[in-house]
Amino acid sequence: VQLQASGGGLVHAGGSLRLSCAASGFTLDNYGIGWLRQAPGKEREGVSCFSFSDGSTYYADSVAGRFTIFRDNAKDTVYLQMNSLKPEDTAVYYCAKLISSCRERLYDYWGQGTQVTVSS
């Protein structure tokens, strides 16, 4: 199993970024992908989730309406479109292989992180 996250960078508040998670080594249709983030000095938190096995999705309250998770079926890549970014969105973002519904949000493999920095 490999999960390759990319797309992070530095952006001004109000701007947008699109993160990518390229998945390989497993059948994505049977599982899902979650995006989590960890800011300095804080615990890792779930941001969004999409289960391709049962169709469930999840957005943290802090990002609902601003972030969108979606999949490019042809590439087995899952994206996190992040709009209206805020300084508090600054964190290292990780994608992870989901092994449950998005209600439970259980993961067994993690990709490396990609840094997102939002300046005020």
Side-chain angles (χ1 to χ4, degrees):
V1 172
Q2 288 193 332
L3 299 165
Q4 183 73 33
S6 61
L10 173 64
V11 64
H12 291 299
S16 297
L17 281 174
R18 179 178 293 182
L19 304 184
S20 300
C21 178
S24 62
F26 64 101
T27 303
L28 194 54
D29 285 346
N30 296 336
Y31 298 95
I33 292 292
W35 285 97
L36 303 94
R37 67 187 181 186
Q38 187 165 20
K42 295 187 177 181
E43 293 188 357
R44 188 174 297 184
E45 64 169 342
V47 174
S48 183
C49 171
F50 194 162
S51 169
F52 305 116
S53 62
D54 70 4
S56 59
T57 59
Y58 163 81
Y59 293 96
D61 289 344
S62 58
V63 308
R66 300 188 297 122
F67 290 12
T68 303
I69 187 170
F70 63 99
R71 175 183 175 182
D72 182 338
N73 291 339
K75 297 181 180 180
D76 268 357
T77 299
V78 179
Y79 300 92
L80 185 68
Q81 177 67 41
M82 306 187 297
N83 298 329
S84 302
L85 283 162
K86 304 175 181 180
E88 52 263 44
D89 294 319
T90 295
V92 177
Y93 284 71
Y94 301 87
C95 61
K97 174 174 165 269
L98 179 73
I99 58 171
S100 69
S101 163
C102 281
R103 286 178 290 277
E104 294 80 23
R105 296 191 293 281
L106 301 176
Y107 305 100
D108 66 349
Y109 283 93
W110 300 77
Q112 92 293 352
T114 185
Q115 176 71 47
V116 172
T117 303
V118 184
S119 63
S120 57

